Amino acid sequence: QVQLVESGGGLVQPGGSLRLSCAASGSIFSINAMGWYRQAPGKQRELVAVISSGDSTDYVDSVKGRFTISRDNRKNTVYLQMNSLKPEDTAVYHCNAKLSLSLLDPYNDYWGKGTLVTVSS
């Protein structure tokens, strides 16, 4: 029933901006934290940004001051505004959400299929 679908990736020049969106749909009882991960070829997957149910945020040091994570709970959507993009930001970006499907269910991790961000001139 539940799926997460990312959008907004693409090719952008260094210094440019992109906004990623991830919408969760299906029979969702509750959403706790949501976040964005990225993985570049030959590198470890890393957590880029996370936002709690109370809108507390955290970022990996390399994107602080450039990226902003936000969420719209009415739309079950998390966003990642990416400014001043650098070539090293190039990666596949995956959305993550901790979801509960009912009152009796625990929170489990759900993942989107990913969207490619390429920063190049």
Side-chain angles (χ1 to χ4, degrees):
Q1 286 271 40
V2 175
Q3 65 176 357
L4 276 60
V5 180
E6 301 100 334
S7 62
L11 175 64
V12 65
Q13 294 184 353
S17 297
L18 286 173
R19 190 177 79 152
L20 306 183
S21 299
C22 173
S25 62
S27 183
I28 300 170
F29 177 74
S30 181
I31 304 179
N32 199 334
M34 305 183 80
W36 290 94
Y37 292 75
R38 68 185 181 187
Q39 187 168 26
K43 296 183 179 179
Q44 298 285 342
R45 186 184 70 180
E46 67 174 348
L47 176 64
V48 179
V50 63
I51 183 167
S52 73
S53 61
D55 287 347
S56 177
T57 60
D58 200 9
Y59 303 87
V60 67
D61 286 344
S62 61
V63 309
K64 288 181 178 177
R66 300 189 297 120
F67 290 11
T68 302
I69 189 171
S70 61
R71 64 192 291 169
D72 185 336
N73 292 328
R74 295 185 64 180
K75 297 180 178 179
N76 289 337
T77 299
V78 63
Y79 306 94
L80 186 67
Q81 178 66 47
M82 304 185 294
N83 299 326
S84 301
L85 283 161
K86 304 175 180 179
E88 51 262 45
D89 296 318
T90 296
V92 176
Y93 286 71
H94 291 268
C95 173
N96 169 266
K98 298 186 184 299
L99 307 177
S100 177
L101 303 183
S102 77
L103 179 64
L104 301 179
D105 290 333
Y107 286 100
N108 292 310
D109 283 320
Y110 290 80
W111 294 87
K113 296 186 182 299
T115 185
L116 177 63
V117 172
T118 303
V119 184
S120 177
S121 59

